[in-house]
Amino acid sequence: MPQSAEKVLDHAPLFREPEYQEMFARKKQMFECGVSDAKIAEQADITKTWDYREKNLARESLVVNPAKACQPLGAVFAAAGFEKTMSFVHGSQGCVAYYRSHLSRHFKEPCSAVSSSMTEDAAVFGGLNNMVDGLANTYSLYAPKMIAVSTTCMAEVIGDDLHSFIQTAKDKKSVPQEYDVPFAHTPAFVGSHVDGYDVMVKGVLDNFWKGVEPKPNTSINIIPGFDGFCVGNNRELKRLLDVMGVEYTILSDASDQFDTPSDGEFRMYDGGTKIDDVKAAVHAKATVSLQRWNTRKTLDYAETFGHETASFHYPMGVRATDEMLMKISALSGKPIPESIRLERGRLIDAMADSQAHLHGKKYAIYGDPDFVIAMARFVMETGGEPVHCLATNGTKAWEEELRPILDASPFGKDAKIWAGKDLWHLRSLLFTEPVDLLIGSSYGKYLERDTGTPLIRLTFPIFDRHHHHRFPLWGYQGGLRVLTTILDKVFDKLDADTIVPGKTDYSFDLTR
Amino acid sequence: MSLDAENEDAKMEALIAEVLTAYPDKFAKRRKKHLSVAKPVAEAAETENALLTECDVKSNIKSVPGVMTVRGCAYAGSKGVVWGPIKDMVHISHGPVGCGQYSWSQRRNYYIGATGIDTFVTMQFTSDFQERDIVFGGDKKLDKIITEIDQLFPLNNGVTIQSECPIGLIGDDIEAVAKKKAKEIGKTVVPVRCEGFRGVSQSLGHHIANDAIRDWVFDKKETEWEAGPYDVNVIGDYNIGGDAWASRILLEEMGLRVVGNWSGDATLAEVERAPKAKLNLIHCYRSMNYICRHMEEKYGVAWMEYNFFGPSQIEASMRKIAKHFGPEIEAKTEAVIAKYRPMVDAVIAKYRPRLEGKTVMLYVGGLRPRHVITAYEDLGMEIVGTGYEFGHGDDYQRTGHYVKKGTLIYDDVTGYELEKFVEKIRPDLVGSGIKEKYPVQKMGIPFRQMHSWDYSGPYHGYDGFAIFARDMDLAINNPVWDLFDAPWTEPDSLAIAAE
């Protein structure tokens, strides 16, 4: 009997005990009717071939292990970045349970959102009553300052009209007439979570900006985009802007909402962009997006108010940070202070110290379109080669944007861009054109298992490592964090490869 | 009834009334029917297994819009619970990308196999619907997807089509596609109408999934298989963190053969052969009673509920199961109980003193709100509130066998209600899901996820009980709960520091 009170074994060691191993063998042999081990090994080998890769890449309809989620997830995330705002997702209720779980599993934080709980009768008659009742209940129970409405695909397929439904709900006194209920249609069968983010932010702005005559001031609006590292990143961003003395408004800032303290009180709402600040933001001089593929509609909208606009692709790495700071400096007229130049110098110093361990390393990078661009650039700045750049929610246009960036560097000229491909495609790519390191999300751990490529978790969602999102990736400080994370993986791998006593440990160097 | 107990009951009733005041009147009335306090049984029968209490609340009806229900949907019940763990089939999340993405690898249905080669549980296969699929229908795409699956994953033993909301709304005929493709690829293809808007929770999805097994798997192939006298199926064990394995080892030691395990670590063959077994042992009654009733009616397979949480229930269940098979198995069973007794005694001796008298509130799915209660009691802990996300009347009726008078009962509890109940009752531990975990912990109350075992487990069987006991101890007795208050916020702290 393997189990004991002295040393309690949980699943990992317990099932390796002989009693269980023998039981598994019996089950397999007597009851499972599976194929032979030889056949499994043969098929496993087939999946590693170029031939399989070609068939895999020729897939037209099936999607396997995609690295993207659906629009309403982005909408719920965007809404969480505004002061005391409750997300209300109109449609089936199971979806909302999924968004909340997904965000909680990443942030290790509460995630509050409600559903209008539409069922079969609503599928036939429309979900108006659900909206009317739902808004009344949400308003009474959770006392939000604003309710941000988005939709599941059910409500979209049956064609519910949010604008008129919300007005009817107000007419029926579910919420006061003047109460803020911004909305966005977020069909799951269009785009991905980054587009849901876009339309929800736009919906919130439209709620407050519509019909307002802008009186331009000197302030700058900054839209961070969907970001699993918003906690660390937004705080670092604000620090940099404060050091520069820039007047700014971050539009959708979920850094406090997804990082509330444990002190005995559950804060359903915390932080976020103040409603008054959203209102005032219409008068800003400029609106800057830190993730262009997350904000295309919102930026177009801001332009209609005469805002100068600029966009970046996730300000991570040296040049990306340089560009962002210089643009902000130009827009605000505030110089970049010496202290930030010194921070930059410290990042460069660290990169120079470690360059020998990173030069020539080959990478596969996947994630949202802006993240992949930024990561590929930073990798190239360290002398690394981004061999595979993949975004399931990347488009042809994204590919065309990334291509010249890669071509401009000797480290990127052989890189391949995989727009619209999934992680089962990437598995084939890693077998046929292997790399040293894989950068992505927790889902990449299956690729690490199958192909032996070490995984570095640097983008949403990260379920199986804790607290990384509390530290920034943006700015020069963030660059240090990214650099160290990559280096740790390189050194851990090097140690693991040289740890066998008397065999490989001649290279088990104390100093590296 | 003692005065104290009466006061306690009155306090719970008052708490319910207080919580309901936050709702608009119409919905306070609706929610009131879902909340109650367990009452003594009118005429307590002196029989074994008698009801301890009555826990009568309204259940299995629509959630109120806008209240933050914890419930999921029919898709979650079918793909997430019943079908998803069947390891040698490919389960297509048919519709937009989200449903499959959020449920990908989150149930912890353990299995042995080469993922992507002969097993597919921790993968996300989706038809990733685009606008054109909504407009023109998705049947052609589905047809092609099944072809591509069979080309790229040739060792699959079949395919299921797990419908997401749009499928039923746009009028796709997935049944026709399934029939056609089954012929073409020569394998089982099962269409499941588990669109998320059907029913009021996961529960209808379980039922629909059970019916799909009946209609699309049973009697479709000749199964050459001779059943033995001690063949049983384990039904409704999803092998979360290895639960089914920790159960199977005991059943085997009792002298039984587990022909099929539904559906954790299962293969399609285990499902197909199940009607030939002698007895169905059902753990999660809520999600799989339907197919047990069907197997009883059509194939004459008897079924029996059992409970493998905690030594009291494990022993009672093993004896009940053994009785069905007669003296030989009964004798072996007594030997098994005796074999594990010293380990169990040592576990209780170690952990009970650390957990004695601690109070627990539960809010889980369709089985655990009652099934785990005795396991806590084996450790000296006390349940003060429990409820189901998607239980039915028969679940609440069965709950009366487990809970004591005065226990708060809440059905389809809302975020608001649960927060207030927890805040007022301040139990020593809450056991619920990921969405409830962090709000509760922020209040300074220890928490364990009771769907996923909080990434631990197994919790079934004797081996699992040791882990369960350890986990409850580490949750409650971790030093972090004493660090919540900054010392300088306590009165006189600065004066003391200055001394």
Side-chain angles (χ1 to χ4, degrees), chain B residues 148-364:
Chain B
E148 290 178 350
I149 285 171
D150 214 43
Q151 281 167 356
L152 290 168
F153 306 95
L155 302 187
N156 82 77
N157 277 327
V159 173
T160 74
I161 302 154
Q162 306 289 329
S163 302
E164 299 172 7
C165 287
I167 304 307
L169 300 172
I170 61 176
D172 275 9
D173 189 355
I174 58 169
E175 290 78 10
V177 179
K179 278 183 192 151
K180 172 172 176 265
K181 298 309 283 186
K183 267 198 202 117
E184 265 178 48
I185 66 171
K187 290 173 186 170
T188 303
V189 179
V190 182
V192 192
R193 287 286 181 179
C194 55
E195 288 90 343
F197 61 82
R198 293 192 198 278
V200 301
S201 69
Q202 291 92 315
S203 186
L204 188 64
H206 305 140
H207 198 153
I208 291 167
N210 278 223
D211 288 354
I213 294 174
R214 179 194 66 200
D215 297 340
W216 295 83
V217 178
F218 281 174
D219 303 326
K220 297 294 179 216
K221 280 189 224 157
E222 282 299 313
T223 48
E224 285 178 28
W225 169 255
E226 277 309 309
Y230 302 123
D231 284 4
V232 298
N233 298 307
V234 168
I235 306 284
D237 188 328
Y238 302 104
N239 204 30
I240 290 165
D243 279 342
W245 293 334
S247 304
R248 184 185 191 98
I249 204 161
L250 297 177
L251 296 169
E252 286 190 357
E253 284 183 73
M254 286 166 62
L256 305 177
R257 285 209 321 176
V258 182
V259 177
N261 192 88
W262 289 28
S263 55
D265 192 37
T267 61
L268 178 61
E270 293 180 51
V271 180
E272 288 167 343
R273 286 170 173 178
K276 301 201 173 182
K278 295 288 180 284
L279 179 68
N280 280 329
L281 296 172
I282 181 159
H283 208 247
C284 182
Y285 169 85
R286 179 71 278 129
S287 59
M288 283 208 179
N289 77 85
Y290 318 101
I291 201 72
C292 290
R293 293 175 196 278
H294 172 73
M295 280 195 259
E296 182 177 44
E297 270 173 36
K298 183 153 184 201
Y299 309 100
V301 186
W303 57 278
M304 183 185 283
E305 290 176 63
Y306 74 108
N307 180 349
F308 267 13
F309 287 108
S312 301
Q313 291 291 341
I314 296 172
E315 281 176 23
S317 290
M318 281 168 62
R319 289 192 171 117
K320 190 169 79 167
I321 295 165
K323 204 169 169 192
H324 182 89
F325 289 99
E328 193 186 328
I329 298 293
E330 284 185 287
K332 278 190 188 169
T333 299
E334 290 308 319
V336 177
I337 292 170
K339 173 186 157 187
Y340 284 95
R341 180 41 62 187
M343 188 267 279
V344 168
D345 287 345
V347 167
I348 291 175
K350 180 174 176 182
Y351 292 107
R352 186 163 179 142
R354 303 167 61 80
L355 298 171
E356 188 84 52
K358 301 286 186 191
T359 55
V360 184
M361 283 175 71
L362 297 169
Y363 181 65
V364 213

Side-chain angles (χ1 to χ4, degrees), chain A residues 20 26-27 60 121 260, chain B residues 62 144 252 265 442 463:
Chain A
Y20 280 101
R26 275 196 305 278
K27 176 174 185 289
E60 288 176 0
D121 52 340
T260 60
Chain B
K62 276 196 274 187
K144 196 166 215 175
E252 286 190 357
D265 192 37
K442 301 276 180 197
D463 288 349

Side-chain angles (χ1 to χ4, degrees), chain A residues 412-474:
Chain A
K413 61 181 184 354
D414 295 329
K416 295 197 172 69
I417 304 171
W418 305 98
K421 298 299 180 192
D422 57 43
L423 300 186
W424 192 256
H425 290 127
L426 188 53
R427 186 176 182 275
S428 282
L429 302 174
L430 292 175
F431 275 126
T432 48
E433 291 177 274
V435 296
D436 299 305
L437 297 161
L438 170 65
I439 295 179
S441 62
S442 285
Y443 295 121
K445 76 188 298 178
Y446 298 128
L447 295 169
E448 181 175 39
R449 174 196 60 194
D450 290 358
T451 70
T453 319
L455 169 67
I456 302 169
R457 294 161 179 81
L458 280 171
T459 196
F460 179 88
I462 299 175
F463 299 132
D464 62 340
R465 295 291 184 274
H466 294 190
H467 311 311
H468 290 211
H469 66 275
R470 298 178 199 263
F471 300 92
L473 307 182
W474 288 351

Side-chain angles (χ1 to χ4, degrees), chain A residues 387-398:
Chain A
V387 176
H388 302 295
C389 299
L390 183 145
T392 307
N393 48 356
T395 57
K396 189 87 191 143
W398 168 75

